[in-house]
Amino acid sequence: MNILVTGGNGYIGSRLVPFLAEYGHNVSVWDSDCVGSKSEPDFFDAREVTVQEVLKSKRYDGVVHLIGTYSKDPVISRDINFRLTKEVYEACKQHGVGCFIFMSTCGVLNEEDKSEYTRQKRLAEAALIEAGDESPCRLVILRLAPVYGLAPHMKFDSIVNGFLRDAVILGRLDVRGKDERRPVVDICTVITEILKVIQTPGSGKIIKNIATGNFTKEEIVREIEKCRPGIEIILRENANKGYTVEPTVTGRTLAEGIQEVLDAKIL
């Protein structure tokens, strides 16, 4: 299959793209992060080429839309997380793409999450669902729990990876809200679920939460401590309870994902 991955040079994309290629798919990337990609024939610089032009270049069977931003600027967040998402989906419908896979967040299920990122993801989901009525392009919304684990282009702004960075670089973890609960999912499980969607024929609209478990912040820290003994740990309380999501997929254990990052010695 011909698959286009928007944001393919990002955290998830940098692991997803070679994974899909290993399974025999022809993968193209559309991204503004072009480090090391300019010479690759299947890379399209989003600053120079529109997604409409990319989709005109060949018949794509599926588009995995990973592009997003955690910017707190409401204008930037709306432009990337909402407007661009709608634009890419409309282009998919226009050019006969068989399946559009949108990476959303489990945060949309947390009423206490007032972040600009989550707000725009909620709006994007609603717009896609409305626009998907009677469309031959299958719409799949995957709501990801905070993702952790190793990738060529690492990201440390999720809870587990962030704690890992501080444990290695600072040698200490000062944790506020030790009893707050969070759903999590490792990156290997995420890319496997995306592959399943691509390889499973279907139509209509699907919304699926992608989480392998729920942990308190203290439980996450204690798993890191087992793999990285000797770190200083300070646990503090607060009034936030966090939120949970019923696990919908199976994958590696939290300890396995943590150990993979530590073994890579990238920190």
Side-chain angles (χ1 to χ4, degrees), residues 175-186:
V175 179
R176 300 183 183 277
K178 66 184 185 66
D179 295 321
E180 285 184 43
R181 299 189 68 81
R182 293 286 189 277
V184 297
V185 63
D186 75 279

Side-chain angles (χ1 to χ4, degrees), residues 24-45:
H25 297 292
N26 300 312
V27 187
S28 302
V29 171
W30 184 67
D31 202 330
S32 59
D33 180 359
C34 60
V35 176
S37 300
K38 275 291 189 180
S39 61
E40 297 178 12
D42 291 320
F43 176 82
F44 299 91
D45 190 335

Side-chain angles (χ1 to χ4, degrees), residues 103-121:
M103 294 301 113
S104 187
T105 170
C106 281
V108 301
L109 303 173
N110 179 14
E111 295 181 357
E112 296 181 355
D113 189 339
K114 307 298 183 184
S115 69
E116 190 62 33
Y117 174 79
T118 298
R119 188 171 82 88
Q120 296 300 334
K121 289 290 187 178

Side-chain angles (χ1 to χ4, degrees), residues 93-108:
K93 293 195 297 179
Q94 179 182 352
H95 295 287
V97 175
C99 180
F100 177 76
I101 305 172
F102 172 53
M103 294 301 113
S104 187
T105 170
C106 281
V108 301

Side-chain angles (χ1 to χ4, degrees), residues 32 65 67-87 115-121 123-124:
S32 59
H65 186 55
I67 288 179
T69 177
Y70 286 101
S71 173
K72 295 180 180 180
D73 185 320
V75 175
I76 295 174
S77 182
R78 180 177 178 81
D79 189 53
I80 300 299
N81 297 321
F82 177 71
R83 181 201 60 78
L84 181 61
T85 299
K86 287 182 60 180
E87 179 182 312
S115 69
E116 190 62 33
Y117 174 79
T118 298
R119 188 171 82 88
Q120 296 300 334
K121 289 290 187 178
L123 292 172

Side-chain angles (χ1 to χ4, degrees), residues 110 112 176-183 214-217 237-245:
N110 179 14
E112 296 181 355
R176 300 183 183 277
K178 66 184 185 66
D179 295 321
E180 285 184 43
R181 299 189 68 81
R182 293 286 189 277
N214 299 279
F215 299 87
T216 65
K217 288 184 178 180
E237 297 184 356
N238 65 18
N240 296 334
K241 295 181 180 180
Y243 74 107
T244 61
V245 172

Side-chain angles (χ1 to χ4, degrees), residues 1 22 39 46 57 77 83 93 96 99 104 116 128 142 174 184 188 205-206 213 222 232 235 253 260 267:
M1 293 184 180
E22 287 177 7
S39 61
S57 65
S77 182
R83 181 201 60 78
K93 293 195 297 179
C99 180
S104 187
E116 190 62 33
L128 292 177
L142 300 182
D174 190 339
V184 297
C188 288
K205 293 174 284 191
I206 298 172
R222 293 306 180 191
E232 179 186 1
L235 298 173
T253 65
E260 181 185 44
L267 291 164

